[in-house]
């Protein structure tokens, strides 16, 4: 039985990856930070099948101790300060977690056991102000946020340790990937939750920022499979993981409202305060290498993703209303089609 250590296991990607590795027969260990209020909702259904250990990417000694105690075959570093808008408010902390934290983990592996295979969660935000479209493994980076800058550091320090210490260390340059487990602060989940609330009479509008930004959106459950495939190769290599399709934020909104039979123009309010200081206009990935060498391809398309997210939020909020936890404040639109 192989052992995998996942940092960020309580997040969207961590929960899907844990499920996937368990299905492959792995022993799964998740690293969590000690917090006054713990949020393990995404992995609650896995509580009796995984192990949790306390550690912190800001604390080198805790990482080394975990590696010695758990003796993982694979480490998936998914922990980061991952909400891009927040990175402008906390740029130094973002750099510590998302950039320097990668170095701490890599150096812990170097000193404890160099045979451990390491996966780093890189991001399409590294491309930022894109130099070419679509973006592939050789496209130059031009990050447009403290988060993107920190991810570039994490990416290149992974390359550096691979080449300097002969370590199996790879980065997956993942484009936007969403799911019903995405945090409410992220645009796609904010939309799916907002649409469901409007459809059920819990809200009468949805405030959004830039609707013209173009993104390559996929399903997180598909993307974690690519992470695992990268660590099964004979030689370490970095890969772009993407659908190769681009859609505007406005399209996401329109598809979500269409799912419940409503006209978005009646409910959307544009709020300039929600626009980033420096936005990323157009991201679309070329995952040809992943398709040819890893045999990976996405299974859930754009429409399927939007439908999945809206339907899940409808069911969740409907149950909350039935329990009396939520009370509709507005008449539910008559055209609503519940998922």
């Amino acid at each position: 039985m192989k052992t995998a250590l996942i940092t960020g296991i309580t997040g969207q990607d961590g929960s899907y990856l844990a499920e996937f590795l368990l299905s492959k027969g792995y022993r799964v260990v998740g690293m969590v930070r000690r917090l006054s209020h713990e949020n393990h909702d995404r992995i609650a259904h896995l509580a009796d099948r995984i192990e949790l250990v306390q550690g912190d990417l800001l604390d080198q000694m805790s990482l080394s101790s975990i590696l010695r105690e758990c003796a993982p075959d694979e480490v998936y570093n998914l922990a980061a300060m991952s909400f891009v808008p927040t990175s402008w408010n906390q740029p130094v902390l973002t750099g510590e977690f998302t950039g320097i934290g990668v170095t701490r983990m890599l150096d812990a592996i170097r000193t404890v056991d160099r045979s451990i295979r390491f996966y780093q969660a890189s991001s399409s935000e590294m491309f930022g102000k894109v130099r070419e479209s679509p973006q592939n493994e050789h496209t130059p980076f031009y990050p447009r946020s403290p988060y993107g800058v920190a991810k570039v550091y994490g990416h290149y320090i992974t390359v550096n340790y691979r080449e300097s210490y002969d370590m199996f260390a790879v980065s997956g340059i993942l484009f936007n990937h969403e799911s019903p487990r995405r945090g409410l602060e992220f645009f796609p989940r904010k939309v799916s939750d907002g649409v469901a609330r409007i459809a059920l009479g819990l809200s009468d509008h949805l405030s959004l920022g830039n609707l013209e930004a173009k993104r390559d959106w996929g399903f997180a459950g598909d993307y974690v499979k690519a992470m695992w495939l990268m660590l099964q190769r004979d030689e370490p290599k970095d890969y772009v993981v993407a659908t190769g399709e681009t859609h505007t934020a406005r399209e996401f909104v329109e598809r979500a409202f269409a799912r419940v039979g409503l006209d978005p123009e009646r409910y959307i309010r544009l709020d300039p305060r929600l626009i980033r200081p420096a936005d990323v206009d157009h991201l679309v990935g070329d995952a040809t290498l992943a398709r040819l060498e890893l045999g990976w391809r996405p299974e859930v398309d754009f429409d399927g993703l939007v439908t999945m997210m809206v339907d899940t939020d409808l069911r969740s909020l409907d149950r909350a209303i039935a329990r009396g936890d939520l009370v509709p404040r507005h008449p539910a639109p008559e055209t609503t089609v519940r998922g």
Side-chain angles (χ1 to χ4, degrees):
M1 178 185 293
K2 284 186 178 181
T3 296
L5 172 66
I6 303 173
T7 72
I9 194 170
T10 60
Q12 169 190 256
D13 291 7
S15 65
Y16 281 111
L17 178 61
E19 286 178 346
F20 177 77
L21 293 176
L22 287 170
S23 75
K24 292 288 183 181
Y26 276 66
R27 170 194 173 215
V28 175
V29 181
M31 189 183 87
V32 295
R33 298 176 66 206
R34 182 176 178 81
L35 301 171
S36 58
H37 175 69
E38 295 181 340
N39 183 1
H40 295 173
D41 291 349
R42 295 185 183 92
I43 56 171
H45 64 296
L46 303 175
D48 60 345
R49 304 174 61 196
I50 62 176
E51 302 170 38
L52 297 180
V53 294
Q54 289 186 353
D56 199 314
L57 289 178
L58 301 185
D59 181 12
Q60 179 92 22
M61 290 187 64
S62 70
L63 302 180
S64 298
S65 296
I66 289 171
L67 293 177
R68 291 191 183 96
E69 293 171 9
C70 300
D73 299 279
E74 300 169 358
V75 170
Y76 296 84
N77 185 43
L78 310 186
M81 183 73 76
S82 60
F83 187 47
V84 176
T86 299
S87 72
W88 274 284
N89 298 327
Q90 297 178 301
V92 176
L93 188 60
T94 298
E96 283 286 348
F97 273 113
T98 309
I100 304 300
V102 184
T103 312
R104 293 191 184 99
M105 180 61 84
L106 283 166
D107 212 53
I109 292 173
R110 180 185 68 83
T111 57
V112 173
D113 182 358
R114 294 190 194 182
S115 70
I116 296 172
R117 296 194 169 201
F118 175 80
Y119 171 86
Q120 165 61 14
S122 287
S123 167
S124 60
E125 289 285 332
M126 300 188 304
F127 295 119
K129 190 174 182 180
V130 299
R131 307 296 186 88
E132 64 183 20
S133 284
Q135 296 89 53
N136 60 36
E137 291 81 5
H138 303 290
T139 301
F141 299 138
Y142 193 147
R144 297 270 282 171
S145 68
Y147 170 79
V149 172
K151 278 294 186 183
V152 170
Y153 177 93
H155 180 86
Y156 276 126
I157 199 65
T158 301
V159 173
N160 184 259
Y161 269 68
R162 177 170 74 217
E163 296 178 349
S164 300
Y165 300 112
D166 193 28
M167 292 167 56
F168 197 107
V170 302
S171 289
I173 307 174
L174 271 58
F175 280 65
N176 293 68
H177 47 289
E178 316 296 334
S179 77
R181 299 179 191 174
R182 188 59 128 161
L184 288 169
E185 68 272 24
F186 290 87
F187 174 82
R189 182 72 198 292
K190 181 178 182 179
V191 171
S192 66
D193 176 77
V195 167
R197 287 178 180 275
I198 290 170
L200 296 173
L202 295 168
S203 181
D204 63 354
H205 73 278
L206 177 59
S207 296
L208 299 171
N210 179 16
L211 295 183
E212 305 313 316
K214 297 178 180 179
R215 295 288 186 273
D216 183 330
W217 275 299
F219 172 51
D222 288 339
Y223 284 42
V224 299
K225 298 174 186 176
M227 300 176 187
W228 175 76
L229 287 168
M230 289 181 210
L231 293 193
Q232 312 314 307
R233 299 278 298 170
D234 293 333
E235 299 294 333
K237 185 185 290 188
D238 305 327
Y239 292 90
V240 162
V241 180
T243 69
E245 295 183 4
T246 184
H247 298 273
T248 64
R250 187 178 300 278
E251 283 182 80
F252 197 103
V253 171
E254 290 172 347
R255 300 289 178 89
F257 273 99
R259 179 61 182 167
V260 295
L262 296 176
D263 178 5
E265 297 299 325
R266 295 180 55 190
Y267 303 99
I268 294 300
R269 295 181 185 175
L270 298 181
D271 186 346
R273 295 174 298 178
L274 299 177
I275 296 176
R276 300 179 186 179
D279 209 348
V280 176
D281 298 322
H282 187 189
L283 293 175
V284 57
D286 177 4
T288 300
L289 195 65
R291 185 174 66 252
L292 294 177
E293 296 189 359
L294 300 178
W296 178 87
R297 63 182 66 247
E299 297 178 13
V300 178
D301 64 12
F302 180 70
D303 285 334
L305 175 65
V306 178
T307 297
M308 176 197 305
M309 294 181 68
V310 172
D311 287 359
T312 302
D313 279 326
L314 279 171
R315 288 193 295 268
S316 177
L317 292 171
D318 221 358
R319 287 195 294 268
I321 292 172
R323 292 193 303 268
D325 296 338
L326 294 174
V327 179
R329 295 177 293 173
H330 311 277
E334 295 182 359
T335 56
T336 296
V337 177
R338 300 193 183 188

